[in-house]
């Protein structure tokens, strides 16, 4: 039951100059100070909040939503779970003594305003598979890739290498070989012996840059270039 005067619910009681958190009449709770339940910005998590008992105001037990009134003496339980694509949810609750990481489910007695939030770690999700081959520096857009998250790529690079006569440029020997990266976190580099392809991400676009290399050793010129890069998988993580 609520404490009312002229059909208006009382929200604060002062007795002998001191605020009273709760009042009882004939052994029955008739007043409990009202407090707020506030959720701060959270990511990758969902919450379950319940009031298991309330000695004050005879507030109903069961599910409680953010913004609902809670009362002094309420028994509240908050649980956190990871959303799809996330793992390792963490719960933080401030019951009046500062925001602190709590084990889930977390049960407590209300003595003041309550604020909470949660976080979770994004899981790697395959957002694209196929085969895209490029023969020069460029980029390609992956529609399912989060613009603000991280990315991994699986790709192979074909390299060409030539040994040249430094006097006339005659090719003395040539060969091709492969370099690869399996689910490489970006930014990444797939290298040959001296040349390489650098791979980066901006928004939901993958960028790649071919870097050739030339060196002179033992009287010969060694020239190496990335010939092509083939992407077969892109994974994203929020």
């Amino acid at each position: 039951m609520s404490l009312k005067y002229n059909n208006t619910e009382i929200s604060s009681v002062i007795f002998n100059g001191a605020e009273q958190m709760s009042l009882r009449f004939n052994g029955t709770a008739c007043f409990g100070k009202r407090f707020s339940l506030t959720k701060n910005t959270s990511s990758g998590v969902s919450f379950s909040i319940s009031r298991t008992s309330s000695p004050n105001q005879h507030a109903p037990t069961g599910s409680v939503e953010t913004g609902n009134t809670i009362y002094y003496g309420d028994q509240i339980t908050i649980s956190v779970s990871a959303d799809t694509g996330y793992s390792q949810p963490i719960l933080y609750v401030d019951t009046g003594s500062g925001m602190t990481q709590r084990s889930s489910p977390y049960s407590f007695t209300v003595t003041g305003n309550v604020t909470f939030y949660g976080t979770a770690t994004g899981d790697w999700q395959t957002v694209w598979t196929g085969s895209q081959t490029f023969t020069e520096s460029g980029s390609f857009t992956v529609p399912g890739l989060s613009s603000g998250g991280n990315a991994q790529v699986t790709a192979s690079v074909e390299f060409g290498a030539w040994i040249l006569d430094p006097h006339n440029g005659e090719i003395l020997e040539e060969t091709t070989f492969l370099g690869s990266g399996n689910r490489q976190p970006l930014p990444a580099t797939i290298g040959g012996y001296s040349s390489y392809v650098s791979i980066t991400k901006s928004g939901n676009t993958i960028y790649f840059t071919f870097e050739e290399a030339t060196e002179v050793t033992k009287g010969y010129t060694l020239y190496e270039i990335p010939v092509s890069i083939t992407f077969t998988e892109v994974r994203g993580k929020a």
Side-chain angles (χ1 to χ4, degrees):
M1 56 187 281
S2 300
L3 183 63
K4 294 184 177 182
Y5 179 75
N6 286 341
N7 208 33
T8 299
E9 185 175 345
I10 303 301
S11 61
S12 179
V13 175
I14 306 297
F15 182 72
N16 286 339
E19 184 176 22
Q20 305 300 301
M21 294 295 102
S22 63
L23 293 177
R24 302 180 71 86
F25 179 74
N26 289 337
T28 300
C30 59
F31 170 79
K33 183 173 175 60
R34 302 170 65 170
F35 292 103
S36 63
L37 178 65
T38 304
K39 182 181 74 173
N40 286 348
T41 301
S42 301
S43 59
V45 294
S46 298
F47 299 96
S48 174
I49 310 168
S50 63
R51 178 165 34 218
T52 56
S53 67
S54 180
N56 303 301
Q57 308 287 86
H58 288 195
T61 57
S63 179
V64 178
E65 301 294 332
T66 300
N68 285 171
T69 299
I70 55 177
Y71 301 96
Y72 182 87
D74 279 0
Q75 297 292 316
I76 300 292
T77 297
I78 302 178
S79 301
V80 65
S81 59
D83 292 340
T84 301
Y86 292 82
S87 61
Q88 301 175 1
I90 301 175
L91 174 66
Y92 298 88
V93 183
D94 180 2
T95 59
S97 57
M99 193 67 74
T100 304
Q101 182 177 333
R102 313 286 189 176
S103 297
S104 177
Y106 176 63
S107 298
F108 58 94
T109 301
V110 173
T111 58
N113 294 325
V114 176
T115 305
F116 68 96
Y117 75 98
T119 62
T121 301
D123 293 331
W124 289 109
Q125 303 288 321
T126 298
V127 295
W128 175 83
T129 58
S131 181
Q132 289 228 41
T133 300
F134 303 90
T135 57
E136 61 184 2
S137 300
S139 64
F140 73 102
T141 299
V142 183
L145 186 61
S146 171
S147 61
N150 300 317
Q152 292 178 339
V153 299
T154 297
S156 61
V157 177
E158 181 182 1
F159 293 92
W162 293 263
I163 299 177
L164 308 176
D165 187 320
H167 302 292
N168 56 23
E170 180 184 353
I171 297 174
L172 303 177
E173 184 179 334
E174 62 181 301
T175 186
T176 60
F177 60 95
L178 290 176
S180 63
N182 182 43
R183 293 181 173 176
Q184 291 271 78
L186 299 186
T189 298
I190 299 178
Y193 297 115
S194 53
S195 65
Y196 60 91
V197 176
S198 62
I199 310 169
T200 59
K201 170 187 177 293
S202 179
N204 64 344
T205 300
I206 305 297
Y207 294 86
F208 45 92
T209 304
F210 287 26
E211 299 288 350
E212 61 184 45
T214 302
E215 60 179 298
V216 177
T217 180
K218 296 181 180 180
Y220 297 99
T221 300
L222 305 179
Y223 177 56
E224 182 182 301
I225 63 170
V227 176
S228 66
I229 183 170
T230 299
F231 293 92
T232 56
E233 182 188 52
V234 177
R235 303 209 306 166
K237 183 177 182 180

